Each structure stands twice: as structure tokens, then as C-alpha cells.
Amino acid sequence: MPSAARDIPNSDNLSRTVSNSFNLSLSTSPVATFNSSSSSLGGHKGTSAKQLKPFITSDIKVLLLENVNKTGQDILARQGYQVEALKSSLSEDELVQKIRDVHVIGIRSKTKLTSKVLHAAKNLIVIGCFCIGTNQVDLKAAAQNGICVFNSPFSNSRSVAELVIAEIIALARQLGDRSNELHNGVWNKVSAGCWEVRGKTLGIIGYGHIGNQLSVLAEAMGMRVVFYDVVNLMSMGTAQQVNSLNALLAGADFVTVHVPELPETQNMIGKEQLEKMRQGSYLINASRGSVVDIPALIEASKSGKIAGAALDVYPNEPGGNGNYFNNEINSWAEDLRALKNIILTPHIGGSTEEAQSAIGVEVAEALVRYVNEGATLGAVNMPEVNLRSLTLDEPNHVRVVYIHKNVPGVLRKVNEILGDHNVDKQMTDSRGEVAYLMADISNVNTSEIKDLYQSLEDLGSRIRTRVLY
Ligand SMILES: NC(=O)c1ccc[n+]([C@@H]2O[C@H](COP(=O)([O-])OP(=O)(O)OC[C@H]3O[C@@H](n4cnc5c(N)ncnc54)[C@H](O)[C@@H]3O)[C@@H](O)[C@H]2O)c1
Ligand SMILES: O=C(O)CC[C@@H](O)C(=O)O
């Protein structure tokens, strides 16, 4: 890395002190930096790939919350970024204060990145959800602020499926109650109300990554599988898709829910649905706490309609570990804790060494590719756009990343601005109201960068401009 003074310019008084190329990523808070060509992720190993870094790497501030796995922390730290990792989530007010100078934030399922938090995040360019669910992020507000969001779409699916298989057997054999009794010194050897799972029917609501993993495991246990989904899907093995939720509820001994948190899945399993379930059946929810009406489940358990249930997710969950699961966080918590044959777990469906390690690598690598090169492959709220990496043989090339409103006439204006240079390659795509353009242009003098950046920024369609080289 060339030794140089580091400018923290605004777009008016940008100045540089070292001739070597430097990266300008002039988002809402421009920082002039110096290029350090190093083989970071996404580069062509052993080739002359020039790894673009939009900031002096030590300027890149990364905040990781909720105990993001060390694999992810290490990948980001190896880039030279300033990484701060906390074990818990933060409240909205804490986030508004903490996020102001952060460029990259990593979260899991607890941290809520609301539009208020995102408005305060003046420097934020990218969010990594080190999990599957992204309902905790205001994805539309993020896109409208030019903030890209990545997740790990299925690295913990197997872990969740295996937990559910364990819960099916544990519920069928009242394992939790027997173990608690013996921990308290009570020997209670019973078979009444205890069953094999072989030959029983598992009903899966939501046949996605987790649902179909679970389908295969359940059939291997000798269970019959039916599933309900809002889209027609190819079944795994001999599983059968049913055409309504009510048909699934009436036809299953064990009902398990694996749908995203959406407006249409709020209280998807409530009093009415519980009444449609078979007498003495079981309910499992490892999706999101909003999907099951827990007070209704408590009543169904007390009445004997439901013979047992396993819950891994709750409408309100503690931000960190400790003795919090009481009526202060959910008004029915202590009623729920008192029920028989109810397995309660603290959102651990994806909490295995394998899943967390894989998620850490997958999401951290996506973040590095985005920060260093502007690639949006795998993004959940932006079009997926990528260009071949620039190489050290292209010393005067510049990568322009232009996130803009998806309105007519923008490409013409952008290409007029870029037109003084040869556009080696360009890719653009749109997703709803937002469009994403990447262009590599050649023969750019460092003296032209500021005007190039400002011209793009001055376009009315601008959401965010990044200039990397
Ligand atoms: N407990 C945990 O630790 C844990 C771990 C991973 C995921 N999750 C949660 O589980 C959810 C599902 O995960 P996934 O990876 O299987 O997701 P996925 O997107 O692969 O599958 C979800 C399925 O649900 C279907 N669906 C959506 N709305 C529906 C509706 N109203 N009725 C029926 N089906 C509907 C979709 O068509 C899709 O097939 C995630 O969104 C996440 O919230 C929890
Ligand atoms: O591990 C987590 O915090 C979230 C797990 C799960 O809900 C997910 O969305 O992947």
C-alpha cells in the first residue's frame, strides 16, 4: 500500500498526495483512498487481477452483531477492514447512534434495520444477513438508499431439518417431560400417548429449502409426507402436495411450518387452524414467531386437542443470552413454560457449528466482493450484476457503479458522461424501482475522477455513485 496522507474530502476539495492510483468510492461520504492491489476474495488467483478497494481498507468500518461466526469475522479482518464484533443485537436507538460511520453491517435474525436506522446510516453501503431470513431488514428502504443486502439462502437448512426430526420423535415419546421428571428425581415409565413415528403423516407447510430437506429425512424414518405451498413444486421422494392448508391440517399427525415472515403468514396457524388439526396431533414452528398464534396454541394444548408442540421462534425474542424468557418479553411466556409436552428452544434451528461456519464464509465473501468490486451476485434487494475483475494490466481503468432510480433516459445520460472514455464493458439491470449499473472505462486520468463522479452524482436519477479503481 503506498504511503500517503489520507484525504477525507468532500466532493469540493478532493485532493490527493500520491501519484499511485487510488480508489474513490464517493458515496454519500466520499473518502479518497489508495489502491492496494492484493488478491482478496473474488480475484483471479495467480493472475494480475487488480482487487478494487473503494476505501483505504483501514477506513472500512464493519460492525457485526449477534455473534457472527469467527469464519466471517476473519475473512473481513483479512481484508484490512476495521471489524467490531458484538455478541448481541442492538436496539433501534442504539443502532441509530452506532451505525453513523459504519460502511458494512452484519446481523442475524434479532437486529431490526428499520428505515429510521437506515436513514441514520449515512455511510452504509451494504448489509450482510448472516442467516436465511431477511424480514428484519427494511429491504425497500435499503434499496432506495442504495444499500445492498445479502443473506445465506440455505446454509442452515439441514440443521433446521435435523432439529425438527429430533422434535418429532421427542414429542411422540414425550421425551422432554420424561427427562425433566428424572432430572427432578421422578421415575415415570409410561407408554400411554407415546408413539413410533413410522407410518405417521408429517404435514409440511412451506416446501422450500428446509421443507424439502425435512421431507427426505422424514420419509427415511418411515413417515408419510404431505406438503402445502403457495406454489406448485416438485416433491421429493413420494411426498404429496395438497392444494389447501385445511387439507394439510386435517391430514397430518405432525404439522411443521417453514414459511417466511410475510404479511400473509402472520398468525397463519391460529385458533381456527388448530381446530382443523387432528385430535392429539402435534405442531412444530421453527420459522418465525409471528406465524403461530401462541395464546391459541396454549389453549389447544390445555384442551388436549394438541398432544404436544415444539417452538424455536417467538414474536418477541431476547437480544442476547440470559434469563429473559418471561412475561415481560411475551405476556404468555410463563403459561407456555408450564405446559406438558411442549419443547421450547431459543431460536437454535440454524445454530450448529457447520451451519454458522458455512454462513460466515458465504456472507462475508459476498460482502467483500461487493465492497471491493461492486458485484451484487446473491443480493436479495438489488439486481444481480457482475463484471469480470479489472486486472493490473489495466492501470488506468475505472469501475463505475451507479445505483439509480429505474426511470427512462438514465442510460443515455450516463453513457454521455462516460462517453469521453472507452467503455470496455458495461452491465445493467433493474429490480422494481431501483437499477444497478456497472461499467469499466479505460484511459482515465486521476484528475478526471472527481468530475466523472460529480457528473453522475448530479443526475436526478442518482441513488448512489461509487467509483472504484
Ligand atoms: N429457526 C431457525 O433458526 C431458522 C433457520 C432458518 C430459517 N428459518 C426461517 O424459516 C423460513 C423458511 O426457510 P427456508 O429456507 O425453507 O425458506 P424458503 O424461502 O426456501 O422456503 C419457504 C417456502 O414457503 C413458501 N411459502 C411462502 N408463503 C407461504 C404461504 N403463505 N403458505 C405456504 N407456503 C408459503 C414458499 O413458496 C417457499 O417454498 C425462513 O424464512 C426463516 O424465517 C428459521
Ligand atoms: O441464527 C439466527 O439468528 C437466525 C436463524 C434463522 O432464523 C435464519 O433466518 O436463518
Side-chain angles (χ1 to χ4, degrees), residues 108-109 131-136 152-157 159-160 163 204-212 228-233 245 257-262 264-266 268 285-289 291 312-313 317 345-351 356 359:
R108 290 171 62 178
S109 58
C131 57
I132 289 177
T134 55
N135 55 280
Q136 63 278 31
S152 173
F154 49 75
S155 291
N156 65 17
S157 302
S159 298
V160 180
L163 176 68
I204 301 173
I205 305 172
Y207 204 67
H209 293 119
I210 296 170
N212 66 58
Y228 167 68
D229 202 296
V230 288
V231 295
N232 284 327
L233 293 165
L245 177 58
V257 205
H258 301 285
V259 297
E261 180 173 290
L262 299 167
E264 57 268 33
T265 62
Q266 297 282 324
M268 182 178 184
N285 183 22
S287 61
R288 282 293 181 266
V291 172
D312 188 48
V313 288
E317 299 180 1
T345 49
H347 204 147
I348 56 168
S351 298
Q356 291 307 310
I359 289 171

Side-chain angles (χ1 to χ4, degrees), residues 27-39:
S27 56
T28 47
S29 79
V31 173
T33 66
F34 300 86
N35 184 33
S36 61
S37 54
S38 65
S39 61

Side-chain angles (χ1 to χ4, degrees), residues 7 18 42 45 89 105 160 169-170 173 207 239 288 291 333 360 364 368 390 418 439 456:
D7 304 321
V18 170
K45 290 206 182 334
S89 65
I105 189 166
V160 180
I169 295 171
R173 305 295 293 274
Y207 204 67
R288 282 293 181 266
V291 172
V368 168
L390 286 174
L418 304 181
L456 291 167

